[in-house]
Amino acid sequence: RSSGFLSLTRGLSQPRSMGDEDENPMKALKIEKLILNISVGESGDRLTRASKVLEDLSGQQPVFSKARYTVRTFGIRRNEKIACHVTIRGEKAEELLERGLKVKEYELRKKNFSQTGNFGFGIMEHIDLGLKYNPSTGIYGMDFYVVMKRAGGGRVAKRRAKRTKIGFQHKCTKTETQKWFVDKYEGILTN
């Protein structure tokens, strides 16, 4: 009887030690989404042209953001449209991030990374991304913001039945994202 039990257990793999997290494919980091934002600071023609730039870049229709409150010194009123942004996912997000990092010469500061493992940076001129300069449009700077996730396990926080929080072990951290950035893009982290 015992020999039969032993032969059953012999085929099973040994239990993992705690140090093998790197091998778990569900723990690999991925880009969840990339948000491109152009904050113009006023409504009207300049904002419309900025949204055209984002549309050309992403192939998607941008969304307008409104001012939260009136600031007289900036000349903005509450609920006035002052910025536009677009959310990109998948292959397109990776390709645009690559172009954005190329402009920054793959160099980010450590403070560009948040505690939750996301990161962002800005560029001064959109034409650096490979768009043709159009005198009627002008030149716009923009913010890139990248939200990271794990390859698996995110559904527990999204599903309808038995919804729960993502566990502490499974959350993305600042150091992990920095390591991912350095490994994947051969990036440089500066102070």
Side-chain angles (χ1 to χ4, degrees):
R1 179 186 149 93
S2 62
S3 61
F5 177 72
L6 278 174
S7 64
L8 275 175
T9 54
R10 201 167 285 141
L12 297 175
S13 62
Q14 289 298 313
R16 283 187 165 187
S17 66
M18 293 303 276
D20 291 345
E21 280 110 7
D22 309 338
E23 293 168 33
N24 186 347
M26 292 297 190
K27 287 203 92 164
L29 283 181
K30 288 170 78 175
I31 297 170
E32 183 179 342
K33 58 187 173 183
L34 165 70
I35 299 102
L36 297 180
N37 176 58
I38 299 180
S39 193
V40 180
E42 62 184 0
S43 57
D45 197 32
R46 278 192 67 209
L47 184 59
T48 315
R49 292 201 304 260
S51 75
K52 184 82 177 75
V53 167
L54 282 184
E55 199 171 338
D56 292 346
L57 201 57
S58 65
Q60 293 171 212
Q61 187 72 40
V63 181
F64 293 102
S65 310
K66 294 176 176 178
R68 287 187 294 183
Y69 34 75
T70 304
V71 182
R72 298 253 331 251
T73 49
F74 296 160
I76 57 168
R77 291 189 304 281
R78 185 165 177 263
N79 283 338
E80 181 184 3
K81 290 178 179 173
I82 55 168
C84 55
H85 65 272
V86 68
T87 303
I88 304 149
R89 297 171 196 268
E91 297 284 315
K92 186 90 178 153
E94 288 188 31
E95 185 240 322
L96 277 172
L97 175 62
E98 181 86 47
R99 278 157 67 182
L101 286 169
K102 202 174 188 178
V103 174
K104 298 295 276 185
E105 294 171 348
Y106 299 98
E107 198 168 302
L108 293 179
R109 300 175 70 170
K110 282 183 182 158
K111 61 165 76 165
N112 285 16
F113 293 80
S114 75
Q115 288 306 123
T116 48
N118 305 325
F119 65 97
F121 57 93
I123 62 167
M124 300 295 279
E125 299 181 350
H126 73 270
I127 51 173
D128 293 339
L129 295 169
L131 289 176
K132 289 281 290 282
Y133 172 65
N134 185 348
S136 64
T137 309
I139 288 181
Y140 291 94
M142 65 178 68
D143 304 319
F144 282 68
Y145 197 75
V146 182
V147 179
M148 301 299 292
K149 67 170 184 177
R150 300 255 186 222
R155 183 171 177 266
V156 294
K158 299 264 193 278
R159 63 193 179 189
R160 187 165 173 188
K162 299 185 179 165
R163 185 178 296 183
T164 183
K165 289 181 182 175
I166 291 178
F168 177 74
Q169 294 287 320
H170 209 63
K171 285 195 168 110
C172 304
T173 62
K174 186 174 184 172
T175 48
E176 273 183 314
T177 307
Q178 286 175 345
K179 183 179 180 306
W180 173 86
F181 166 70
V182 170
D183 292 348
K184 179 162 183 175
Y185 295 106
E186 294 170 1
I188 304 156
L189 288 174
T190 59
N191 283 332

